[in-house]
Structures are given as C-alpha cells and as structure tokens.
Amino acid sequence: CGAMEWTPSPSVSLTAGPAGDAAVDDADLVIVGVFAPKKDKDGDDESDEVEAIAFDGAAKELDEKLGGALTELAADNSKAFQNGGSAGSVTPALRVATPGAKSKRYVLLGLGTYDADKPVDSPTLMKIGSAVSSACHDEKRAASASVLLPGDRLGPSLYRDFATAFYSGLY
C-alpha cells in the first residue's frame, strides 16, 4: 500500500449572532427556522387541514421584505412540510432574484411544534443542525448561508449541540 489520498474537507465556519439584515444580505442561501403552531387538544385529529405558520421576529420581517414569499412557500408545501411540525424537515428552495443583486435561495426549516412552556431540547437541535448541513450540501452553488433561528428559545449549550450536528453532517 503506497499512499492514500484524502478528500479535501470544505472550508466552513459557523458563527452565532443576532439575526440582522447584513447576515441575510451577504448569504446565497437563507435558512429560516419556523415552529409549527401548537395543535389544539380539542381539535379533530382526522382533519387534513394544516394550520398556517405565523412568522415572528426576524422571520416575519424577512417575509414582509419578500412580499409574503415565505408564507407562500410554506402554504405550497404545507402537507409535506407540516408547517415545521417535524423538527429537521425542510421545504424545497425558493429562488428569489432581485434586480441589481445576486439571486438568493430561501429554505424553511421545521423546528417542531411550538410550546411556550417547553424549551427546545438537545435531540431536536441535533436534528436541526443535521438538516441545515444537508440543506447546505443540497444547494451546491451556495457559497454562504445564513440560518435564522429564534434565539429566545435556545440556550448557549444548545448551540453547541447544533454546531456538533452541523459539522458532523458535512462529512
């Protein structure tokens, strides 16, 4: 056995910070984390109807800036995506071309069902981190990505779990 060639690893960096216009403006791929609306316990489980996503915070601002394109993306994929009800689920990429700027791709990322009394747990963040790495891998032409997550629901230790799953998913 002479020599073994290695596949070069991709150049990747992951930085956590507040969501802002600069992070979104500089990215080729924008992944927007969304919680599914909490299901009504008295509701009919037989219903095929999926309750619409109510964006908030940076996701709401971005949707408004895009003229409701994220709301439409969620509606078009509501059955398969379940409006984010399954942690780690993603929508197909939506390409948006802006005159005078490079086109961007937007993907919605399911964070599970919203529950104000229960914070996001470690296994859920691992699923989400893995889904983000898969979305980045699937969008071959994207040189940079920005991930918008609701920071008020995630503790510092959970970002470590997210990062671990993200980097593991790249290899």
Side-chain angles (χ1 to χ4, degrees):
C1 177
M4 185 171 160
E5 291 191 34
W6 293 92
T7 303
S9 63
S11 173
V12 177
S13 68
L14 183 62
T15 305
D21 287 341
V24 172
D25 290 343
D26 293 341
D28 297 327
L29 174 64
V30 179
I31 301 170
V32 182
V34 294
F35 284 106
K38 190 172 184 175
K39 294 182 181 179
D40 186 10
K41 291 181 182 178
D42 298 331
D44 182 11
D45 291 339
E46 302 288 324
S47 174
D48 286 339
E49 199 169 313
V50 178
E51 191 174 335
I53 292 175
F55 293 106
D56 62 348
K60 182 177 182 178
E61 291 173 18
L62 181 59
D63 187 41
E64 290 171 356
K65 183 178 175 181
L66 296 171
L70 298 180
T71 300
E72 195 171 314
L73 177 62
D76 288 348
N77 297 284
S78 64
K79 292 279 187 204
F81 181 57
Q82 290 296 303
N83 285 339
S86 176
S89 60
V90 293
T91 62
L94 169 70
R95 184 182 300 264
V96 176
T98 307
K102 62 183 177 180
S103 68
K104 293 186 183 305
R105 290 177 215 124
Y106 296 88
V107 172
L108 297 180
L109 168 67
L111 302 178
T113 302
Y114 180 78
D115 187 348
D117 298 328
K118 182 179 163 193
V120 179
D121 60 5
S122 179
T124 300
L125 256 293
M126 298 291 280
K127 287 180 188 175
I128 293 166
S130 180
V132 168
S133 67
S134 292
C136 291
H137 184 267
D138 291 346
E139 297 301 321
K140 302 278 187 222
R141 293 185 180 217
S144 60
S146 181
V147 182
L148 300 178
L149 296 174
D152 61 329
R153 304 282 300 149
L154 311 175
S157 65
L158 293 178
Y159 282 108
R160 182 187 63 233
D161 297 336
F162 174 88
T164 299
F166 172 76
Y167 283 116
S168 295
L170 292 176
Y171 300 103

